[in-house]
Amino acid sequence: MTMDINIPGVALIFEGGGMRASYTAGFAVMLLENQMNFPKVYGISAGSSHTVNYVSRDIPRTKASFVDFVKDPKFGGLGTFLQGKGYFNSAHLYEGVIEELAGTDEPMSFYYDTFAANPADCHIEAFDWESGETVAWTKADMPTPYDVGIRVRASSSMPIFMPPTPVAGRTYLDGGMGTSWGICLDAAMADGFDRFVVVRTQERPYRKHEMGRGAQAAFRGIFRKHPLVAENTINRWRHYNALLDKLDGLEAEGRAFVFAPEKMDITNRETDLARLQASYDRGYSQANREYDRLAKWLQG
């Protein structure tokens, strides 16, 4: 498999969405199978897993991360949630499994050497729950496999369902609360890109709604010691919807190719293997049906 950059000038951007990424894993696998190599890949939350798996050129891990991995007895559930490890057992799922499976041929082992050698760069983000700052990490910040895992974990740490993640003396939660609001479009623009392939985890018409007053009060209570977590979560819907409107405009101008699920019928917390496999199969099928449209757009 070649690692030469053959799609210059185009940024690849993966949206977050928890286990909905089982669907978009099919699109990432399609790109890898067709050796479509972008110069820089962006991702937040579940999209950060797609990002590092794509840069490592690892087809089995790209699928397994959001499908087969749920068979792992240490994946998570109510038991790990009550133990304070999270509904998704994050320390195991990210840096833990990378270290445990190093040097093996297991689907969830991480091809760090390929990741490091790939000329493509990556960009993942997390939210500092004390300062409210959005931090961005690239390959330069990931000199070891552990550094990859802990940063992907930080980007993916959903409030309430996963504990915050400490990295280099600071503490982070899900990057979706940060200034990219779940899709690193502005970050890619700031890097100089003017064409974008954006992989969404929601159906095309989807827009977020304002959180109800009761839910807002509950969130402020839970995060009373870290009010920026509550406020950014409560206000995210407005910024996210504006971002999607901007993306629609770029698509109309021919500057963005958007892959959006034809039907999304699982939640970000789905753990049923059969439903995740079906989600992946639908995504992979749609991705292959949209290959010609993507190839034509890339030539434009």
Side-chain angles (χ1 to χ4, degrees), residues 98-111:
I98 284 178
E99 293 190 315
E100 290 172 20
L101 299 180
T104 73
D105 293 326
E106 293 294 321
M108 283 303 298
S109 63
F110 185 70
Y111 295 168

Side-chain angles (χ1 to χ4, degrees), residues 13-55:
I13 304 172
F14 289 105
E15 181 177 14
M19 301 307 286
R20 288 192 296 267
S22 56
Y23 196 105
T24 51
F27 185 85
V29 167
M30 181 276 290
L31 295 179
L32 291 170
E33 288 178 338
N34 287 279
Q35 299 193 51
M36 304 177 79
N37 302 338
F38 294 77
K40 193 162 186 177
V41 190
Y42 298 76
I44 289 176
S45 196
S48 67
S49 288
H50 280 342
T51 295
V52 300
N53 290 338
Y54 172 88
V55 174

Side-chain angles (χ1 to χ4, degrees), residues 166-189:
V167 181
R170 297 170 69 180
T171 304
Y172 298 98
L173 280 173
D174 196 300
M177 294 181 292
T179 52
S180 287
W181 307 108
I183 303 175
C184 293
L185 181 62
D186 288 342
M189 287 182 165

Side-chain angles (χ1 to χ4, degrees), residues 215-232:
Q216 290 186 30
F219 229 88
R220 288 186 173 112
I222 293 169
F223 290 101
R224 60 189 179 277
K225 294 183 179 179
H226 297 93
L228 293 174
V229 174
E231 296 311 313
N232 277 38

Side-chain angles (χ1 to χ4, degrees), residues 202-240:
Q202 294 281 13
E203 296 172 23
R204 186 173 288 273
Y206 175 82
R207 293 294 188 274
K208 290 187 180 297
H209 299 290
E210 185 174 8
M211 190 182 292
R213 290 185 179 180
Q216 290 186 30
F219 229 88
R220 288 186 173 112
I222 293 169
F223 290 101
R224 60 189 179 277
K225 294 183 179 179
H226 297 93
L228 293 174
V229 174
E231 296 311 313
N232 277 38
T233 303
I234 289 167
N235 293 314
R236 185 184 174 212
W237 69 277
R238 186 180 296 107
H239 300 285
Y240 178 82

Side-chain angles (χ1 to χ4, degrees), residues 52 94-95 98 110 112 115 124 141-153:
V52 300
Y94 297 100
E95 72 275 17
I98 284 178
F110 185 70
Y112 182 78
F115 173 84
I124 64 176
D141 301 298
M142 307 177 203
T144 71
Y146 175 87
D147 291 314
V148 176
I150 194 71
R151 284 163 174 77
V152 172
R153 174 185 164 193

